[in-house]
Amino acid sequence: MATIHREDGDLEIGETLPHLPLRDVVVFPHMIIPLLVGRPASVAALQTAMAGDKLIFVTAQRAPDVAEPGLDDVFRMGTVSRVLQLLRLPDGTLKVLIQGVVRARLSRLVKGDDDAMRAKIQVLDDVEGRTPEVEALQRSAATQFSEYVRINKRVPDEVLMSVVGIEVPSMLSDTIAANVISKVTVKQRILESVDLATRFRLLGQVLTEELEILKIERKIDGEIKSQVKKNQKELYLNEQLKAIRKELGHGESGGNETDDLRAAIDKARMSDEAQETAFKELDRLARMAPLSPEATVVRTYLETLSSLPWKRATRDKLDLGRAQQHLDADHYGLEKVKDRILEFLAVAKLTHEFRGPILCLVGPPGVGKTSLARSIANTLGRKFVRLSLGGVHDEAEIRGHRRTYIGSMPGRIVQSLRRCGSNNPVFLLDEIDKLGRDFRGDPSAALLEALDPEQNANFSDHYLEVGFDLSNVLFITTANVTHTIPPALLDRMELIGLPGYLEHEKIAIARRHLVDKQLRESGIPAGRLLLTDTALETIVRGYTREAGVRALEREIGRLCRKVARSIAAAPAAPRRGRPGETRRAKAKRVGVDIVRVDGGDVGRYLSTPLYLGKEVPATDEVGVVTGLAWTSTGGEILPIEVSMMTGKGELILTGQLGDVMKESARAALSYVRSVARRLGIKPEVFDRMDVHVHVPDGAIPKDGPSAGLAIATAIASLASGQPVNRQVAMTGEITLRGKALPIGGLNEKAVAALRAGVKTLLVPQDNAKDLQDLPAFVRDALEIIPVAHMDDVLEVAFRSSSRSRVRVRPRAGQRQSTGRAPVGRTPVGTTH
């Protein structure tokens, strides 16, 4: 039993009291608080207290969601409280009014026979010692509380009046804590502070934090009120302005924004779905505050909808003769590509619609893919739109951003159509092979709907949220390679290959397009610079190595700038000329020098050539064969050297060879060993000798199925001691039975052979059908012999040599060669 001395008399408190756990409530001494009690154990505890001395021990729960808290679910420090009033509600809940009396510490809980929990407690009465420190802390707390009540309008002034009259330190600290703090954990810490100095320090810290928060809230409220007043003022002024315009008769001329948008929607000729959506959004906008963020989003959306080309289109000009002229004027060569485009236009003319697979122009950079698409647009009289897809990773770039925030916008397809103002442009999707994919979505999947003719009549953009018809758009795509294009997209496209230009085509393009363009850009007057064909040939061979013509254009531009500098430094010529006089005649008459650049002069302007041309060996050699290779920049001769040395019969491969060429070398060696006796070679030679196959330019990786015939010829030449004619080049793959397999890139390889000084070219029999596609000057200059078997290759290579000593014996079932094989130029399409 503990005795508490109070002003109204002493209070006897037993060691065991009924226990009442509370959710989210901490009761301080001297604090009066109403409670609603409904849990059975709590109701039983209150009934037990009312039957006795009306004292009950109150603690706060650690977790409010625990229905039947135990000893570990409540805080140990609580408050002995007196039940002042108890009222039973109709639903069985008790409404009780309690007053805190004194702090007490809980030691254990015991459940009684009446289901009420009883708490074993230790009463902790406050020691009211008035030290100078406590007095100073008390005054500081009272001052801070007064400032808190003044700023916080949620605390009534009556609370401040009741606190001002309190002189007892413990009572003052508990009263302030009960009216200031909202967090249960902070209240519990103050309740557990038995020492007055510690309690006041903690209370002062909490009051300081609350005052700072209140000051910030007050500042924010002031700013908001100021902005609201400004918006209200602007709204009032706008309404006045509308009224003034109406009185002046200007209301129908665009003063009302809603009327302007309604007129724009009517004029746009949208689809029924889009128009219905637009009018609904317009009605919403009319009910919004003009300067609200949501109104800005809706206004931008309506402006976007009304500016799209729903029904605006250009008229097609499907004249195939005119189309042929446009394509020929803009592009040299590319006959197969032009034919396919003309076929596409012819079908469109007959069917009156551009249906069918999407054209995909595939080729290395600089071969004219983009300019071909632009030529198609010019031919049809349509507008041209180009969208680069390189590096696009976000699906929203194609489908648009959802209209949920300020700054959202349609996808790039819809934006491009909006800018061009037509719903049937020629739309170029450039670099479709460089599409990306990451956590933001798959742009290629979004493109499927746009490119599929069965779906794009109702293309869904996330921003528009209504269908837009893309069926009139002529989509054309470009790519450098096809293996990186997603398969689903590739399935919807028809591939048109642009393999690159040959040397004579590059020279013709430079003569017809590039030279005049660079002369204009360099400011060189017409007739002042003469670039000969040999100069252009020197630039193509020595300073560029590409499939397209971009590097060629740069080098021509560099040469023109050098000439422009010399012309600018020379004295100016008279500007007036005679009637009908050409610029070249005028330049000659006034004595102006005409700069002529020939092949030997190119080095003075462009310095040392970047690339050196390869030529065949000067003499016939044993074990050296001229092969041919295709690269992304054109054709190249591929010298192959073979040597033998004493060893264990191993095959040594050097020269940065890829897996395919390594397999070709092994197959070639196996074939030569299998027919060694027919070639006059002792088979045991290969058992004690190592064969070393080397392809020069070792720093350059080389791979591809076209060197098998050349490697086998080199090995046979070395093993038999038979030299190979230096003017014979060959290309083709070999099987273990010696059959010649077809290859690709014949055009480029034939031009490379002619450039290197080759006279005879051996190609696989299956490539005979491709000889018709060779340029006429190549067919006239080369003796082209299709071969079906390795024996045919060796017969031509060894027979043509000036030092031929070995005759190839016929294989089983083969008729003895008469030696009358064609040695002149073989007509294109014939076989040997």
Side-chain angles (χ1 to χ4, degrees):
M1 182 72 68
T3 303
I4 304 300
H5 301 284
R6 319 300 288 179
E7 293 181 357
D8 55 353
D10 295 341
L11 179 64
E12 299 291 336
I13 301 176
E15 294 182 353
T16 302
L17 290 177
H19 177 240
L20 177 62
L22 300 178
R23 293 187 177 101
D24 296 327
V25 177
V26 176
V27 178
F28 288 91
H30 316 291
M31 175 182 176
I32 299 175
I33 182 172
L35 300 172
L36 289 175
V37 180
R39 288 185 285 189
S42 300
V43 172
L46 283 171
Q47 291 174 345
T48 302
M50 292 299 294
D53 54 6
K54 297 184 179 182
L55 294 179
I56 192 169
F57 182 64
V58 180
T59 59
Q61 290 186 201
R62 297 182 184 274
D65 56 344
V66 179
E68 297 181 0
L71 183 62
D72 295 332
D73 298 321
V74 297
F75 292 103
R76 296 301 180 91
M77 182 67 75
T79 304
V80 176
S81 303
R82 178 185 289 116
V83 180
L84 301 180
Q85 185 179 0
L86 187 144
L87 178 65
R88 185 178 297 275
L89 299 179
D91 59 354
T93 303
L94 298 181
K95 184 176 182 180
V96 60
L97 185 69
I98 64 173
Q99 180 183 18
V101 177
V102 67
R103 287 173 172 79
R105 180 175 285 109
L106 174 65
S107 58
R108 62 191 180 93
L109 290 174
V110 180
K111 188 173 184 179
D113 297 335
D114 53 358
D115 293 334
M117 296 297 295
R118 287 175 170 79
K120 180 74 174 179
I121 63 173
Q122 177 186 359
V123 176
L124 303 173
D125 196 9
D126 294 325
V127 179
E128 304 291 349
R130 285 186 172 274
T131 63
E133 181 183 8
V134 172
E135 185 71 22
L137 291 172
Q138 180 179 353
R139 292 181 181 180
S140 176
T143 302
Q144 287 180 312
F145 182 71
S146 300
E147 180 70 12
Y148 174 80
V149 175
R150 184 182 66 81
I151 296 177
N152 191 355
K153 300 302 181 182
R154 294 186 293 271
V155 179
D157 295 337
E158 290 78 6
V159 175
L160 178 61
M161 297 302 296
S162 64
V163 171
V164 170
I166 300 176
E167 296 183 357
V168 180
S170 60
M171 185 176 180
L172 177 66
S173 62
D174 291 337
T175 304
I176 292 175
N179 287 279
V180 173
I181 306 167
S182 59
K183 295 181 180 180
V184 174
T185 54
V186 179
K187 283 185 176 183
Q188 187 66 32
R189 286 173 59 195
I190 295 179
L191 182 66
E192 293 175 357
S193 300
V194 180
D195 180 67
L196 281 174
T198 303
R199 191 186 309 169
F200 273 116
R201 288 193 187 93
L202 182 58
L203 186 60
Q205 179 182 353
V206 173
L207 282 170
T208 301
E209 293 176 355
E210 290 292 329
L211 284 172
E212 288 295 328
I213 295 174
L214 286 174
K215 289 177 181 178
I216 295 174
E217 290 180 352
R218 189 175 184 182
K219 179 181 178 182
I220 294 174
D221 290 341
E223 293 175 352
I224 294 175
K225 289 180 180 178
S226 175
Q227 185 64 35
V228 170
K229 289 180 180 179
K230 181 181 178 182
N231 292 342
Q232 290 177 343
K233 180 180 179 181
E234 290 180 356
L235 178 62
Y236 175 72
L237 293 176
N238 283 329
E239 292 298 328
Q240 281 189 328
L241 185 60
K242 290 179 183 178
I244 293 173
R245 285 178 173 172
K246 185 176 181 180
E247 289 294 329
L248 293 176
H250 296 164
E252 298 179 359
S253 63
N256 193 324
E257 181 185 35
T258 304
D259 293 341
D260 293 343
L261 288 173
R262 189 178 300 277
I265 293 171
D266 291 333
K267 186 179 178 181
R269 297 189 297 166
M270 305 178 185
S271 64
D272 294 340
E273 177 192 14
Q275 192 173 57
E276 182 181 356
T277 302
F279 282 134
K280 286 182 180 179
E281 292 296 320
L282 185 62
D283 294 339
R284 288 183 59 231
L285 178 64
R287 296 191 297 269
M288 294 179 185
L291 300 179
S292 65
E294 188 176 2
T296 302
V297 173
V298 175
R299 190 181 300 112
T300 304
Y301 173 69
L302 292 176
E303 291 173 352
T304 301
L305 274 183
S306 58
S307 62
L308 287 176
W310 297 92
K311 300 294 183 181
R312 296 195 300 272
T314 56
R315 180 173 297 179
D316 290 334
K317 302 175 182 178
L318 292 173
D319 186 345
L320 295 186
R322 180 171 174 268
Q324 180 76 60
Q325 293 175 359
H326 269 284
L327 293 174
D328 289 340
D330 295 341
H331 298 85
Y332 180 83
L334 304 178
E335 299 303 330
K336 289 186 178 180
V337 179
K338 294 177 183 177
D339 288 343
R340 180 61 188 92
I341 293 173
L342 291 174
E343 292 169 3
F344 183 81
L345 299 179
V347 172
K349 182 177 182 179
L350 296 179
T351 60
H352 303 288
E353 60 181 8
F354 286 89
R355 293 287 181 177
I358 305 299
L359 298 182
C360 181
L361 306 177
V362 182
V367 296
K369 300 185 294 295
T370 302
S371 59
L372 267 174
R374 194 182 299 274
S375 295
I376 295 174
N378 294 336
T379 300
L380 295 175
R382 292 190 176 192
K383 295 185 177 180
F384 178 73
V385 177
R386 176 181 175 272
L387 174 59
S388 178
L389 299 178
V392 173
H393 291 78
D394 192 352
E395 181 184 356
E397 292 286 326
I398 306 299
R399 284 194 179 274
H401 303 262
R402 297 199 177 275
R403 189 163 42 93
T404 55
Y405 56 89
I406 297 176
S408 56
M409 62 183 67
R412 296 171 68 178
I413 292 179
V414 173
Q415 290 186 54
S416 300
L417 295 177
R418 180 187 180 188
R419 284 193 296 269
C420 79
S422 171
N423 68 357
N424 67 336
V426 174
F427 203 120
L428 178 65
L429 298 173
D430 205 4
E431 297 179 331
I432 198 170
D433 57 324
K434 296 179 179 60
L435 273 176
R437 180 180 180 182
D438 59 13
F439 65 94
R440 290 169 290 186
D442 186 1
S444 63
L447 279 176
L448 292 177
E449 183 181 358
L451 295 181
D452 194 338
E454 303 299 329
Q455 304 180 47
N456 61 9
N458 194 31
F459 176 70
S460 176
D461 186 277
H462 289 162
Y463 181 83
L464 299 183
E465 296 180 344
V466 293
F468 189 87
D469 188 3
L470 297 180
S471 60
N472 295 323
V473 179
L474 176 55
F475 285 104
I476 299 176
T477 63
T478 68
N480 296 134
V481 294
T482 58
H483 63 271
T484 56
I485 301 177
L489 273 179
L490 193 62
D491 181 60
R492 286 165 170 78
M493 297 186 295
E494 178 181 345
L495 304 181
I496 300 179
L498 282 75
Y501 297 110
L502 302 177
E503 284 187 4
H504 70 284
E505 293 175 326
K506 292 182 181 180
I507 295 173
I509 293 172
R511 178 61 64 197
R512 295 174 56 176
H513 301 286
L514 305 183
V515 173
D516 290 341
K517 177 182 177 181
Q518 292 303 319
L519 288 176
R520 289 193 302 269
E521 293 184 359
S522 302
I524 299 176
R528 292 294 301 273
L529 174 61
L530 297 179
L531 275 175
T532 65
D533 288 344
T534 55
L536 294 175
E537 182 179 347
T538 301
I539 296 175
V540 170
R541 291 186 177 182
Y543 297 88
T544 65
R545 184 162 290 181
E546 57 171 349
V549 292
R550 288 179 182 169
L552 175 60
E553 184 176 4
R554 285 195 297 268
E555 294 302 322
I556 293 175
R558 188 155 68 98
L559 187 146
C560 289
R561 290 192 296 273
K562 301 286 187 181
V563 175
R565 178 179 177 182
S566 62
I567 293 176
R575 300 180 61 87
R576 296 179 61 84
R578 297 172 180 174
E581 186 178 30
T582 64
R583 292 186 179 181
R584 183 177 299 180
K586 173 187 170 184
K588 184 176 181 181
R589 176 175 57 81
V590 299
V592 177
D593 292 335
I594 298 176
V595 180
R596 176 185 174 89
V597 179
D598 209 338
D601 304 323
V602 173
R604 292 194 295 112
Y605 295 98
L606 302 183
S607 69
T608 306
L610 302 177
Y611 308 102
L612 299 177
K614 297 179 181 178
E615 296 182 356
V616 296
T619 60
D620 298 345
E621 298 184 36
V622 175
V624 177
V625 176
T626 301
L628 296 171
W630 179 90
T631 68
S632 60
T633 61
E636 292 286 347
I637 65 169
L638 193 68
I640 296 176
E641 301 176 355
V642 177
S643 64
M644 283 187 175
M645 68 287 295
T646 303
K648 300 178 181 179
E650 296 179 354
L651 176 62
I652 304 172
L653 303 173
T654 56
Q656 285 279 14
L657 304 184
D659 292 337
V660 177
M661 288 194 70
K662 291 178 180 178
E663 293 176 0
S664 299
R666 295 188 183 97
L669 178 59
S670 297
Y671 168 75
V672 174
R673 295 186 65 174
S674 66
V675 297
R677 294 191 183 278
R678 284 200 300 110
L679 298 177
I681 304 171
K682 296 180 180 180
E684 58 271 15
V685 171
F686 295 101
D687 296 332
R688 62 176 185 271
M689 303 292 288
D690 290 342
V691 178
H692 186 171
V693 178
H694 177 65
V695 182
D697 294 334
I700 301 175
K702 294 169 280 292
D703 200 6
S706 63
L709 296 180
I711 295 176
T713 303
I715 295 174
S717 170
L718 182 65
S720 64
Q722 172 68 40
V724 178
N725 193 329
R726 65 184 185 280
Q727 294 183 342
V728 174
M730 60 193 70
T731 181
E733 198 51 82
I734 187 175
T735 68
L736 292 177
R737 299 293 184 269
K739 295 181 179 179
L741 300 180
I743 47 85
L746 183 58
N747 278 12
E748 291 81 358
K749 294 177 180 179
V751 172
L754 180 61
R755 183 175 62 239
V758 170
K759 300 299 182 183
T760 302
L761 175 61
L762 305 183
V763 299
Q765 176 72 50
D766 292 339
N767 286 113
K769 62 183 184 300
D770 302 324
L771 298 180
Q772 295 287 354
D773 298 331
L774 290 178
F777 74 94
V778 176
R779 296 199 302 265
D780 295 338
L782 285 178
E783 177 188 7
I784 304 174
I785 303 177
V787 294
H789 194 272
M790 189 64 201
D791 289 350
D792 304 329
V793 176
L794 296 178
E795 184 175 358
V796 175
F798 291 165
R799 183 195 64 213
S800 302
S801 173
S802 59
R803 297 186 290 155
S804 176
R805 295 182 289 105
V806 177
R807 185 179 185 85
V808 181
R809 298 177 185 174
R811 60 186 182 275
Q814 181 187 28
R815 187 178 62 183
Q816 176 70 36
S817 175
T818 61
R820 294 194 299 269
V823 294
R825 292 176 176 81
T826 301
V828 175
T830 63
T831 60
H832 174 59

